[in-house]
Coordinates of all heavy atoms in Angstrom, one line a residue:
A359 N -197.2 -89.1 -30.4 CA -197.9 -88.3 -29.5 C -198.6 -89.2 -28.4 O -198.8 -90.4 -28.7 CB -199.0 -87.5 -30.2
S360 N -198.9 -88.7 -27.2 CA -199.5 -89.5 -26.2 C -200.3 -88.6 -25.3 O -200.1 -87.4 -25.2 CB -198.5 -90.3 -25.4 OG -197.7 -89.5 -24.6
F361 N -201.3 -89.2 -24.6 CA -202.2 -88.5 -23.7 C -202.5 -89.4 -22.6 O -202.8 -90.6 -22.8 CB -203.5 -88.1 -24.5 CG -204.5 -87.3 -23.6 CD1 -204.3 -86.0 -23.3 CD2 -205.6 -88.0 -23.2 CE1 -205.2 -85.3 -22.5 CE2 -206.5 -87.3 -22.4 CZ -206.3 -86.0 -22.1
S362 N -202.4 -88.9 -21.3 CA -202.6 -89.8 -20.1 C -203.6 -89.2 -19.1 O -203.6 -88.0 -18.9 CB -201.2 -90.0 -19.4 OG -200.3 -90.5 -20.3
L363 N -204.4 -90.1 -18.6 CA -205.3 -89.8 -17.5 C -205.0 -90.7 -16.3 O -204.5 -91.8 -16.5 CB -206.7 -90.0 -17.9 CG -207.2 -89.3 -19.2 CD1 -208.6 -89.8 -19.6 CD2 -207.3 -87.8 -18.9
G364 N -205.3 -90.2 -15.1 CA -205.0 -91.0 -14.0 C -205.9 -90.7 -12.8 O -206.5 -89.7 -12.7
N365 N -206.0 -91.7 -12.0 CA -206.8 -91.6 -10.7 C -205.8 -91.9 -9.5 O -205.1 -92.9 -9.5 CB -208.0 -92.6 -10.7 CG -208.8 -92.4 -9.5 OD1 -209.6 -91.4 -9.4 ND2 -208.7 -93.2 -8.4
T366 N -205.8 -91.0 -8.6 CA -205.0 -91.1 -7.4 C -205.8 -91.3 -6.2 O -206.8 -90.6 -6.0 CB -204.1 -89.9 -7.3 OG1 -203.2 -89.8 -8.4 CG2 -203.2 -89.9 -6.0
E367 N -205.4 -92.2 -5.3 CA -206.1 -92.4 -4.0 C -205.0 -92.4 -3.0 O -203.9 -93.0 -3.1 CB -206.8 -93.7 -4.0 CG -207.5 -94.0 -2.6 CD -208.3 -95.3 -2.6 OE1 -208.4 -95.9 -3.7 OE2 -208.7 -95.7 -1.5
F368 N -205.2 -91.5 -1.9 CA -204.2 -91.5 -0.8 C -204.9 -91.8 0.5 O -206.1 -91.5 0.7 CB -203.6 -90.1 -0.8 CG -204.5 -88.9 -0.5 CD1 -204.8 -88.6 0.8 CD2 -204.9 -88.2 -1.5 CE1 -205.6 -87.5 1.1 CE2 -205.8 -87.1 -1.3 CZ -206.1 -86.8 0.0
D369 N -204.2 -92.5 1.3 CA -204.6 -92.8 2.7 C -203.5 -92.3 3.7 O -202.3 -92.6 3.5 CB -204.8 -94.3 2.9 CG -205.9 -94.9 2.0 OD1 -207.0 -94.8 2.4 OD2 -205.5 -95.4 0.9
N370 N -203.9 -91.5 4.6 CA -203.0 -91.0 5.6 C -203.5 -91.4 7.0 O -204.6 -91.1 7.5 CB -203.0 -89.4 5.6 CG -202.4 -88.9 4.3 OD1 -201.5 -89.5 3.8 ND2 -202.8 -87.7 3.9
D371 N -202.6 -92.2 7.7 CA -202.9 -92.7 9.1 C -202.0 -91.8 10.0 O -200.8 -91.8 9.9 CB -202.6 -94.1 9.2 CG -203.4 -95.0 8.3 OD1 -204.6 -94.7 8.1 OD2 -202.9 -96.0 7.7
T372 N -202.7 -91.2 11.0 CA -201.9 -90.3 11.9 C -201.9 -90.8 13.3 O -202.8 -91.6 13.7 CB -202.6 -88.9 11.9 OG1 -204.0 -89.0 12.2 CG2 -202.4 -88.2 10.5
N373 N -200.9 -90.4 14.0 CA -200.8 -90.8 15.4 C -200.3 -89.5 16.2 O -199.2 -89.1 16.0 CB -199.7 -91.9 15.6 CG -199.6 -92.4 17.1 OD1 -200.0 -91.7 18.0 ND2 -199.0 -93.5 17.3
Y374 N -201.2 -89.0 17.0 CA -200.9 -87.8 17.7 C -201.1 -88.0 19.2 O -202.2 -88.2 19.7 CB -201.9 -86.6 17.3 CG -201.6 -85.3 17.9 CD1 -200.4 -84.6 17.6 CD2 -202.5 -84.7 18.8 CE1 -200.1 -83.4 18.1 CE2 -202.2 -83.5 19.4 CZ -201.0 -82.8 19.0 OH -200.8 -81.6 19.6
F375 N -200.0 -88.2 19.9 CA -199.9 -88.5 21.3 C -200.8 -89.7 21.6 O -201.6 -89.8 22.6 CB -200.4 -87.3 22.2 CG -199.3 -86.2 22.2 CD1 -199.2 -85.2 21.2 CD2 -198.4 -86.2 23.3 CE1 -198.3 -84.3 21.3 CE2 -197.4 -85.2 23.3 CZ -197.3 -84.3 22.3
G376 N -200.6 -90.8 20.8 CA -201.3 -92.0 21.0 C -202.7 -92.2 20.4 O -203.3 -93.2 20.5
T377 N -203.2 -91.1 19.9 CA -204.6 -91.1 19.3 C -204.4 -91.3 17.8 O -203.7 -90.5 17.1 CB -205.4 -89.9 19.6 OG1 -205.5 -89.8 21.1 CG2 -206.8 -90.0 19.0
M378 N -205.1 -92.3 17.2 CA -205.0 -92.6 15.8 C -206.1 -91.9 15.0 O -207.2 -91.7 15.5 CB -205.1 -94.1 15.6 CG -204.2 -94.9 16.5 SD -202.4 -94.5 16.4 CE -202.1 -95.2 14.7
G379 N -205.8 -91.6 13.8 CA -206.7 -91.0 12.9 C -206.5 -91.5 11.5 O -205.3 -91.9 11.1
T380 N -207.5 -91.4 10.6 CA -207.3 -91.9 9.2 C -208.1 -91.0 8.3 O -209.3 -90.6 8.6 CB -207.9 -93.3 9.0 OG1 -207.1 -94.2 9.9 CG2 -207.8 -93.8 7.6
T381 N -207.5 -90.6 7.2 CA -208.2 -89.9 6.2 C -207.9 -90.5 4.8 O -206.8 -91.1 4.7 CB -207.8 -88.4 6.1 OG1 -206.4 -88.3 5.9 CG2 -208.2 -87.6 7.4
N382 N -208.8 -90.5 3.9 CA -208.5 -91.0 2.6 C -209.4 -90.2 1.6 O -210.4 -89.7 1.9 CB -208.8 -92.5 2.5 CG -210.3 -92.8 2.8 OD1 -211.2 -92.6 2.0 ND2 -210.5 -93.4 4.0
D383 N -208.9 -90.1 0.3 CA -209.6 -89.4 -0.7 C -209.0 -89.9 -2.0 O -208.0 -90.5 -2.1 CB -209.4 -87.9 -0.5 CG -210.4 -87.1 -1.3 OD1 -211.3 -87.6 -1.9 OD2 -210.4 -85.8 -1.1
S384 N -209.7 -89.5 -3.1 CA -209.2 -89.8 -4.4 C -209.6 -88.7 -5.4 O -210.5 -87.9 -5.1 CB -209.8 -91.2 -4.9 OG -211.2 -91.1 -5.0
H385 N -208.9 -88.6 -6.5 CA -209.1 -87.6 -7.5 C -208.7 -88.1 -8.8 O -207.8 -88.9 -9.0 CB -208.5 -86.2 -7.1 CG -207.0 -86.3 -6.9 ND1 -206.5 -86.6 -5.6 CD2 -206.0 -86.2 -7.7 CE1 -205.2 -86.6 -5.7 NE2 -204.8 -86.4 -7.0
F386 N -209.2 -87.5 -9.9 CA -209.0 -87.9 -11.3 C -208.4 -86.7 -12.0 O -208.9 -85.5 -11.8 CB -210.3 -88.3 -11.9 CG -210.2 -88.7 -13.3 CD1 -209.8 -90.0 -13.6 CD2 -210.5 -87.9 -14.4 CE1 -209.6 -90.5 -14.9 CE2 -210.4 -88.3 -15.7 CZ -209.9 -89.6 -16.0
D387 N -207.3 -86.9 -12.7 CA -206.6 -85.8 -13.3 C -206.1 -86.1 -14.7 O -205.9 -87.3 -15.1 CB -205.3 -85.4 -12.5 CG -205.7 -84.8 -11.2 OD1 -206.5 -83.8 -11.2 OD2 -205.3 -85.3 -10.1
I388 N -205.8 -85.1 -15.5 CA -205.0 -85.2 -16.7 C -203.6 -85.1 -16.3 O -203.1 -84.1 -15.7 CB -205.4 -84.1 -17.7 CG1 -206.8 -84.2 -18.2 CG2 -204.4 -84.1 -18.9 CD1 -207.3 -83.0 -19.0
L389 N -202.8 -86.1 -16.6 CA -201.4 -86.1 -16.1 C -200.4 -85.7 -17.1 O -199.3 -85.2 -16.8 CB -201.1 -87.6 -15.7 CG -202.0 -88.2 -14.6 CD1 -201.5 -89.6 -14.3 CD2 -202.1 -87.3 -13.4
Q390 N -200.7 -85.9 -18.4 CA -199.6 -85.7 -19.4 C -200.2 -85.6 -20.8 O -201.3 -86.1 -21.1 CB -198.7 -86.9 -19.3 CG -197.6 -87.0 -20.4 CD -198.1 -87.7 -21.7 OE1 -199.0 -88.5 -21.6 NE2 -197.5 -87.4 -22.8
G391 N -199.6 -84.9 -21.7 CA -200.0 -84.8 -23.1 C -198.8 -84.1 -23.8 O -198.2 -83.2 -23.4
G392 N -198.6 -84.6 -25.0 CA -197.5 -84.0 -25.8 C -197.3 -84.8 -27.1 O -197.8 -85.9 -27.4
A393 N -196.4 -84.2 -27.9 CA -196.1 -84.8 -29.2 C -194.7 -84.4 -29.6 O -194.2 -83.3 -29.3 CB -197.1 -84.3 -30.3
S394 N -194.0 -85.3 -30.3 CA -192.7 -85.1 -30.8 C -192.7 -85.4 -32.3 O -193.2 -86.4 -32.7 CB -191.6 -86.0 -30.2 OG -191.3 -85.5 -28.9
F395 N -192.1 -84.5 -33.1 CA -192.1 -84.6 -34.6 C -190.7 -84.9 -35.0 O -189.8 -84.1 -34.7 CB -192.7 -83.4 -35.2 CG -194.1 -83.0 -34.8 CD1 -194.4 -82.2 -33.7 CD2 -195.2 -83.6 -35.5 CE1 -195.6 -81.9 -33.3 CE2 -196.5 -83.3 -35.1 CZ -196.7 -82.5 -34.0
V396 N -190.5 -86.0 -35.7 CA -189.2 -86.5 -36.1 C -189.0 -86.2 -37.6 O -189.8 -86.5 -38.4 CB -189.1 -88.0 -35.8 CG1 -187.7 -88.5 -36.2 CG2 -189.3 -88.3 -34.3
F397 N -187.8 -85.7 -37.9 CA -187.4 -85.4 -39.2 C -186.1 -86.1 -39.6 O -185.1 -85.8 -38.9 CB -187.3 -83.9 -39.4 CG -188.5 -83.1 -39.0 CD1 -188.6 -82.6 -37.7 CD2 -189.5 -82.8 -39.9 CE1 -189.7 -81.9 -37.3 CE2 -190.6 -82.1 -39.5 CZ -190.7 -81.6 -38.2
R398 N -186.1 -87.0 -40.5 CA -184.9 -87.7 -40.9 C -184.1 -86.8 -41.9 O -184.7 -86.2 -42.8 CB -185.3 -89.0 -41.5 CG -185.9 -90.0 -40.6 CD -186.0 -91.4 -41.1 NE -186.5 -92.3 -40.1 CZ -185.7 -93.0 -39.3 NH1 -184.4 -92.8 -39.3 NH2 -186.2 -93.8 -38.4
N399 N -182.8 -86.9 -41.8 CA -181.9 -86.2 -42.6 C -181.5 -87.2 -43.8 O -180.8 -88.2 -43.5 CB -180.7 -85.8 -41.9 CG -179.8 -84.8 -42.7 OD1 -180.0 -84.6 -43.8 ND2 -178.8 -84.2 -42.0
T400 N -181.8 -86.9 -45.0 CA -181.5 -87.8 -46.1 C -180.2 -87.5 -46.7 O -179.8 -88.2 -47.7 CB -182.6 -87.7 -47.2 OG1 -182.7 -86.3 -47.6 CG2 -184.0 -88.1 -46.6
S401 N -179.4 -86.5 -46.3 CA -178.1 -86.2 -46.8 C -177.1 -87.1 -46.1 O -177.4 -88.0 -45.3 CB -177.8 -84.7 -46.5 OG -177.5 -84.5 -45.1
N402 N -175.8 -86.9 -46.5 CA -174.7 -87.7 -45.9 C -174.2 -87.2 -44.6 O -173.2 -87.6 -44.1 CB -173.6 -87.8 -46.9 CG -174.0 -88.6 -48.2 OD1 -174.8 -89.6 -48.1 ND2 -173.5 -88.2 -49.3
S403 N -174.9 -86.2 -44.0 CA -174.5 -85.7 -42.8 C -174.5 -86.7 -41.7 O -175.4 -87.6 -41.7 CB -175.4 -84.5 -42.4 OG -175.1 -84.1 -41.1
P404 N -173.6 -86.6 -40.7 CA -173.7 -87.6 -39.5 C -174.9 -87.3 -38.6 O -175.2 -88.2 -37.8 CB -172.3 -87.3 -38.8 CG -171.9 -85.9 -39.2 CD -172.4 -85.8 -40.6

């Protein structure tokens, strides 16, 4: 099983008819979670 958290930061630089702009932000999220259960076969099956 595993569980993941993450922080994302984005920066967007814009150019509109020669005028520049910048925005940036960040956020924190739960990205993933799950489990796999494995069962071994003890017979002679392939």
Side-chain angles (χ1 to χ4, degrees):
S360 65
F361 179 77
S362 301
L363 303 172
N365 186 76
T366 297
E367 180 176 351
F368 63 84
D369 296 277
N370 292 330
D371 298 323
T372 56
N373 183 342
Y374 185 67
F375 286 86
T377 302
M378 311 302 291
T380 298
T381 57
N382 59 77
D383 200 357
S384 63
H385 55 270
F386 183 80
D387 291 307
I388 298 173
L389 304 181
Q390 171 275 334
S394 287
F395 300 92
V396 178
F397 305 92
R398 292 190 175 275
N399 189 354
T400 57
S401 70
N402 292 325
S403 169

